[in-house]
Amino acid sequence: DIQMTQAPSSLSASEGDRVTITCQASQDITTWLNWYQHKPGKPPKLVIYDASKLEKGVPSRFSGSGSGTDFTFTISSLQPEDIGTYYCHQYDTLPLTFGGGTKVEI
Amino acid sequence: QVQLVQSGPEVKKPGASVKVSCKASGDTFTNYGINWVRQAPGQGLEWVGWISPYNGKTKYSQSFQGRVTMTTDTSTTTTYLEVRSLRSDDTAVYFCARERDPYYDNPHYFDPWGPGTLVTVSS
């Protein structure tokens, strides 16, 4: 199975801060990577797909980059409604696997 | 607007089976694959498997091979996940998540997700 290693596991930042999360795959997954936002009490939501493409309706402060094994997810200006846990997710190879998650707090 | 409605919480004893449902509305049911993802208490997300409502084709995580079965009922636009030989570490919220795009033969983008069904396994 492809292991997805996310860092950090949690972070606390101030409103307006730039937040960066990394995700490393145990093997090359080209750009077959998604990022999901999971707010407390709600189901996860697709935010970024194919490593860098912004899902429809998602604010432009969210972005993703990377290819191969190393990926980055960025919130350019953290807002209170962005709190939750973010997961990377590879769909290059079955079984699909998720990173361990990054809990974002303000 | 696509909606996924899941069945209610379940409490089961170790060794028992559970069947969770996910009813889809708002789009052509057979065009979109359905995934199941679970989240154990305090843990991250774990993919369980995928089913095509079009032809019943399934792909399961090897972690569950032999213990899970996914089925669909096109007449009620409902997808089912059955987990057998339940263990305490199967205690989790089970989410169904539809594929965002139609006609794909493999899981890739999960959107939208259902609200989740809590399955508790306890003696």
Side-chain angles (χ1 to χ4, degrees):
Chain A
D1 297 3
I2 297 178
Q3 306 302 316
M4 305 299 291
T5 303
Q6 254 184 268
S9 57
S10 66
L11 66 90
S12 181
S14 301
E15 185 174 345
D17 281 356
R18 184 181 184 86
V19 168
T20 298
I21 299 168
T22 64
C23 180
Q24 184 170 62
S26 60
Q27 65 189 66
D28 189 339
I29 58 170
T30 60
T31 56
W32 306 137
L33 181 107
N34 302 324
W35 290 93
Y36 293 89
Q37 175 192 64
H38 193 188
K39 293 185 181 182
K42 293 192 172 183
K45 174 187 170 184
L46 180 65
V47 178
I48 298 287
Y49 66 100
D50 292 352
S52 62
K53 298 175 183 175
L54 191 66
E55 176 66 352
K56 285 180 188 176
V58 173
S60 58
R61 63 180 179 272
F62 294 94
S63 64
S65 64
S67 66
T69 60
D70 294 301
F71 301 87
T72 300
F73 176 83
T74 300
I75 307 173
S76 61
S77 176
L78 187 67
Q79 300 301 305
E81 60 266 32
D82 299 337
I83 62 165
T85 302
Y86 292 82
Y87 295 91
C88 60
H89 164 235
Q90 70 80 20
Y91 60 95
D92 176 81
T93 303
L94 297 179
L96 306 193
T97 48
F98 291 86
T102 298
K103 186 174 185 179
V104 175
E105 299 173 308
I106 289 184
Chain B
Q1 182 80 359
V2 175
Q3 271 203 317
L4 299 176
V5 177
Q6 295 188 228
S7 49
E10 303 265 9
V11 179
K12 296 292 183 181
K13 293 193 183 303
S17 299
V18 69
K19 196 168 187 177
V20 179
S21 69
C22 171
K23 180 176 174 61
S25 61
D27 240 331
T28 304
F29 177 66
T30 53
N31 288 351
Y32 297 83
I34 296 284
N35 295 274
W36 289 91
V37 177
R38 76 177 186 180
Q39 184 175 35
Q43 303 299 309
L45 302 173
E46 182 179 20
W47 181 73
V48 179
W50 167 95
I51 184 167
S52 165
Y54 174 72
N55 56 18
K57 186 176 177 181
T58 55
K59 298 177 192 284
Y60 298 133
S61 169
Q62 285 288 339
S63 300
F64 302 92
Q65 201 75 28
R67 288 204 305 131
V68 302
T69 301
M70 296 177 190
T71 55
T72 61
D73 182 342
T74 55
S75 67
T76 61
T77 65
T78 301
T79 301
Y80 298 92
L81 168 69
E82 181 182 32
V83 185
R84 297 177 294 279
S85 302
L86 285 165
R87 311 184 295 239
S88 57
D89 62 0
D90 290 317
T91 294
V93 175
Y94 289 76
F95 295 99
C96 60
R98 201 198 72 168
E99 288 291 323
R100 188 194 70 182
D101 299 333
Y103 313 125
Y104 274 77
D105 205 31
N106 276 296
H108 55 303
Y109 315 131
F110 301 177
D111 189 70
W113 296 56
T117 296
L118 176 61
V119 174
T120 303
V121 183
S122 174
S123 55

